[in-house]
Amino acid sequence: MNKINNHSWLHKTTNIVCWVVCILIMAGCNVDEEDSIKEDPYAGGREPLAVKLLSEAPSPESAGPKEKVTFRVSGLAKYTHEEDGTFDFDFYISDEICQIESATDSTLTIIVPDAVSSGTTYLVLENQIFYGPYFKVMGSVSIDEGFEYYKTGPYNGIIRSCVPWCGNTGLTSEFYLCGDFRQAQGKYYGGIAMVNNEKGLLKYGTADKIKITRGIEAGMYVDDDDNLLHAGLNGMEYWKKDTESPRALLYGLFKEYETYSTTLVGFKFKNVLLVNNDLTVKTEKKKFSDFNGKTHEISVPTFVGGTMFTEEITRAFSTADGKIVAVGNFTTHLFTDYDNTTCDANNKLVTADIYTSARSVMKMDEIGQLDKTYRRNPMDDDLSLLGAEGTINDACMLNDESVIIVGDIYKFDGKPIRNIVKLDKDGQIDEEFLSTIGEAANGEINKVTCTSFKDGSGELHERIVIVGNFTTFNGQSAQGLAILNSDGSMNSEFVLKELEGGIVNFAKIVDLNTNGEIAMPHVVISGTFTKYAGVTRQGFLILDMKGDAIQRFNVPGRFYGGLYDAQYSLTSDNTNGLLLTGDFRIFDGKRMNNIVMLKVDLEENTNNEP
């Protein structure tokens, strides 16, 4: 009992002591109050400016160079000096400073610069930035809103190439899209689609154009560990030997194409396929025996050549004599031997394949059989020449059917090279081209395109455009982009101006006047750069053949991503256009899905030209 009382007393005493200590501390604080900080510790800082650049649309809502535009503002009168016509602030459109015409407490009138692209507007006052509305600079290029497919695009994948339909005329524009996209959400196949300039996507099953139901399976298992490769098409080319309803050559990384139809069960394609004009598989009937000795007649593909499942074909080309030239980082040609192929009781094929050495470049006939007169070892025609040492990134074929190959390559057929080589029609290194390019590219080349066009006098010209991580080509400044003549010499007419803020990731020469009598070739460029020739041009350019960014063709705002192809097209209202495809998400202030149609007005408006 006493222990309990003692404990209670000690507890009360402790509480009293703590209470007294707290009072003393508070008293001490009060005593020192006069010596404490009485002022607001944040006082003396910069007060927020009572200025706003309102998000309301300006008047007019869009304008061209040299035109006056009035923006809605608040609180600018204090920083405007009418007596000497000066202003304490600056105004920008897409990072380009504008001449200020006048300002009041509610309006700001500026003059659009001579060289500028569409973009965000902002005002800078006392090192503070006030953002305003996105401003559309008027010119000769704009998004074709009637081509609404840019809002959706193909599902979940990149468009790697865009191929004009063979039946296009001056009044029609239809294209095949090739890539690793899917046909639609929830579908595990695709790789190829078709669009036209008016409706956008055409459905599978369209007669005579894309009469298929599945396309390519999106992924393929390559070993017993269930490792999955992402399948897709790198491109398509029409069969040059056919004049009417030409067949189509598909290539990339795939083994399944329309193979869920009952006639093709068990057959695996080999990354390249020659199909009918409507993209269906060409088949023939053959007899096979099953394991019980019973004979079955089965429809099988006529084209049975290619490469091993994991050896992608980067590019494939059709030749005038009915052959296929394939380029890629492959080592082996694969061919199905129907004579030794069997089947099971359910008509599923058990194929027998022939493997033959073929490195980097090979030629096949129209059933996929290897041409052993092309690029074979002179000592043993079962062995190919050495091919590329390094990595092949891209290739293109010139008019004479010679092939330009680029990449991160240090040797080809045992001969030292610098990332680019030309093979003649027979598949041998073009020594004259090699001599002309000299030091060539001092870094990796990622893309190459070959384009032909006629000048004003009707003379045909051929150009090679290369893009990559190089700064010089044959000792000349290149900034990751160079235009070559077909002999390998640098084209002296084209001079790339200074790029700032990033690199080029795509470039191609496109004739913007395909339906006209006079060609208008321009270089279409994308990249991560932010300025060209000192002017803000964010990721997209249309240059003339001298390398100049003519203002009226360079008014679209920021481009985010990369192009893989650009093609002349009619627009949704049948005027001149430019179809852009690739892997991009933003263009001119709008959300994109890897495809967009641009309207291109070729009539020069001299009123707005600087």
Side-chain angles (χ1 to χ4, degrees), residues 47-52 74-76 79 105 130:
E47 293 184 3
L49 298 174
V51 170
K52 290 182 180 180
S74 175
L76 278 186
Y79 306 98
D105 217 39
F130 303 87

Side-chain angles (χ1 to χ4, degrees), residues 248 263 371 392 474 493:
T263 58
D371 182 348
I392 293 174
N474 200 10
E493 296 178 0

Side-chain angles (χ1 to χ4, degrees), residues 225-245:
D225 295 328
D226 289 342
N227 290 323
L228 187 67
L229 284 181
H230 199 49
L233 292 181
N234 288 329
M236 166 185 163
E237 178 162 313
Y238 279 109
W239 190 244
K240 292 178 181 176
K241 189 178 179 181
D242 297 338
T243 55
E244 296 183 6
S245 298

Side-chain angles (χ1 to χ4, degrees), residues 483-552:
I483 297 182
L484 312 179
N485 300 313
S486 58
D487 64 357
S489 60
M490 289 272 282
N491 182 255
S492 58
E493 296 178 0
F494 181 84
V495 178
L496 188 68
K497 310 302 187 294
E498 184 182 4
L499 289 162
E500 300 177 49
I503 62 171
V504 174
N505 56 30
F506 171 86
K508 180 183 178 181
I509 297 173
V510 181
D511 183 3
L512 300 182
N513 197 31
T514 296
N515 284 338
E517 294 181 2
I518 300 176
M520 292 186 62
H522 283 70
V523 186
V524 179
I525 296 174
S526 73
T528 59
F529 52 85
T530 57
K531 285 182 178 288
Y532 183 73
V535 178
T536 300
R537 311 287 190 190
Q538 299 190 66
F540 180 77
L541 288 166
I542 299 177
L543 305 181
D544 66 16
M545 295 304 291
K546 295 181 179 179
D548 294 326
I550 306 302
Q551 166 61 29
R552 67 193 183 96

